Amino acid sequence: MEQTPAKRVPAKKTAAKKAAVKTVAKKAAAKKTAVKAAAEQTEAPRVAGKAESHTALVRRARRINRELAEVYPYAHPELDFENPFQLLVATVLSAQTTDLRVNQTTPTLFARYPTPEDLSAANPEEVEEILRPCGFFRAKTKSVIGLSKALVEQFGGEVPGRLEDLVKLPGVGRKTAFVVLGNAFGRPGITVDTHFQRLVRRWRWTAETDPDKIEAAVGALFPKADWTDLSHHVIWHGRRICHARKPACGACPIAPLCPAYGEGETDPEKAKKLLKYEKGGFPGQRLKPPQAYLDAGGRPAPPLGAVPGA
């Protein structure tokens, strides 16, 4: 049986196709090399795969804190308060919601119940109605009324300045206690909130997940006098730049020190669009922020109801 001869492809077309494939491969290789080179220039020294000594970790951690102090020289607690009692109540209310929402809610609460004596004798239903915007308002009402009663009965209506006393109050844990101690009494403490936990693990300061263990591990890297300001720097950075879902890596001032660089947007222009609060031109968390914050260009938050969906 006679076979049909195979169709021949002209040599020129075959050569052109091979040349095109080689060109595409070269472009891909060049792009990969360029990306790698850029990453090497901007990424932190990789800790993974190469053990970082404790001394090196301490140096890197303290350098990060120094650089954040330059970026946020006006960092402060982002809850509005005028006295230890207001800070204590506001911190308890801030669980599972934003400081901004708390700041928009507490003016009404403190206007009606300015002292522990007043709040301890409050009608729970009236307090619940005020705290409704903060979420979990029934549990929070129980906590703030309960801690007010404890302050009146055990401490003469005064907020105690000792950790062991604060953590005995209803709804008050170590995180809340350290916020009050550091910012109302000037006693150093580390505030391990969700932002703090996220960032210190991204920076590989610790692999712990338990807040108390994180507090101990990070505290060992810094002098005790630095703890309160360190907390502010880390939390501010977490709120403004190093977000949970879309960190703005391309706009991060400590990118060269961060082992997690590249988890978020690395393009500088795209990263800038992810910035929040004053770094992105938006108001901060407080209605009545410190003057230093305003002098640095910060903007106060709007009152409750002024920003839909805030």
Side-chain angles (χ1 to χ4, degrees):
M1 182 175 179
E2 187 177 347
Q3 293 183 349
T4 303
K7 187 177 181 180
R8 288 190 176 184
V9 178
K12 289 185 178 180
K13 288 187 177 180
T14 302
K17 186 175 181 180
K18 289 182 178 179
V21 171
K22 287 183 179 179
T23 300
V24 171
K26 286 182 179 179
K27 287 183 177 180
K31 184 177 180 181
K32 187 175 181 180
T33 301
V35 170
K36 184 178 180 180
E40 288 175 349
Q41 290 179 355
T42 55
E43 285 188 350
R46 287 295 172 182
V47 179
K50 183 179 180 181
E52 183 179 36
S53 69
H54 180 72
T55 299
L57 171 59
V58 169
R59 288 174 178 170
R60 182 168 63 86
R62 294 185 181 185
R63 184 179 172 190
I64 286 176
N65 187 42
R66 288 196 302 270
E67 298 205 8
L68 290 180
E70 293 182 7
V71 178
Y72 311 111
Y74 43 82
H76 59 268
E78 294 197 88
L79 289 166
D80 280 326
F81 70 98
E82 296 178 356
N83 55 56
F85 173 62
Q86 289 187 359
L87 179 58
L88 176 60
V89 171
T91 306
V92 170
L93 296 180
S94 68
Q96 304 298 315
T97 190
T98 65
D99 286 356
L100 171 57
R101 176 59 77 188
V102 174
N103 291 337
Q104 292 171 328
T105 306
T106 50
T108 301
L109 180 71
F110 295 142
R112 189 172 300 180
Y113 311 106
T115 68
E117 289 82 1
D118 295 321
L119 190 52
S120 66
N123 182 328
E125 292 183 359
E126 293 179 1
V127 176
E128 286 179 2
E129 193 58 32
I130 295 173
L131 301 184
R132 188 178 294 271
C134 289
F136 302 97
F137 59 93
R138 291 190 178 88
K140 290 180 180 180
T141 293
K142 184 177 180 180
S143 291
V144 297
I145 290 180
L147 72 84
S148 296
K149 288 181 178 178
L151 289 175
V152 172
E153 295 171 0
Q154 300 174 32
F155 302 101
E158 298 292 330
V159 176
R162 298 196 312 163
L163 175 65
E164 52 267 39
D165 292 330
L166 285 168
V167 295
K168 294 178 182 178
L169 300 171
V172 179
R174 289 179 68 87
K175 184 193 83 170
T176 296
F178 280 130
V179 170
V180 174
L181 291 173
N183 299 290
F185 293 98
R187 296 175 183 172
I190 293 178
T191 304
V192 185
D193 72 350
T194 55
H195 300 288
F196 194 95
Q197 292 182 49
R198 179 177 74 254
L199 268 61
V200 299
R201 287 199 296 269
R202 277 183 177 167
W203 295 336
R204 296 180 190 168
W205 289 1
T206 179
E208 299 290 354
T209 56
D210 178 77
D212 290 351
K213 292 181 179 179
I214 291 174
E215 176 196 322
V218 174
L221 302 177
F222 295 89
K224 190 172 182 178
D226 292 349
W227 288 356
T228 298
D229 285 342
L230 168 70
S231 299
H232 292 325
H233 298 153
V234 175
I235 292 169
W236 272 52
H237 193 60
R239 284 178 171 163
R240 286 153 177 78
I241 296 178
C242 195
H243 312 138
R245 295 183 181 179
K246 293 184 178 181
C249 294
C252 181
I254 60 166
L257 299 169
C258 180
Y261 175 85
E263 286 188 9
E265 180 57 64
T266 58
D267 181 86
E269 293 304 315
K270 292 181 180 178
K272 285 181 182 178
K273 296 179 181 179
L274 300 174
L275 301 184
K276 297 181 179 179
Y277 307 125
E278 82 285 355
K279 292 295 176 184
F282 304 111
Q285 298 269 286
R286 293 181 71 162
L287 284 88
K288 299 179 180 179
Q291 190 60 45
Y293 173 75
L294 298 175
D295 291 342
R299 293 163 51 194
L304 184 64
V307 179

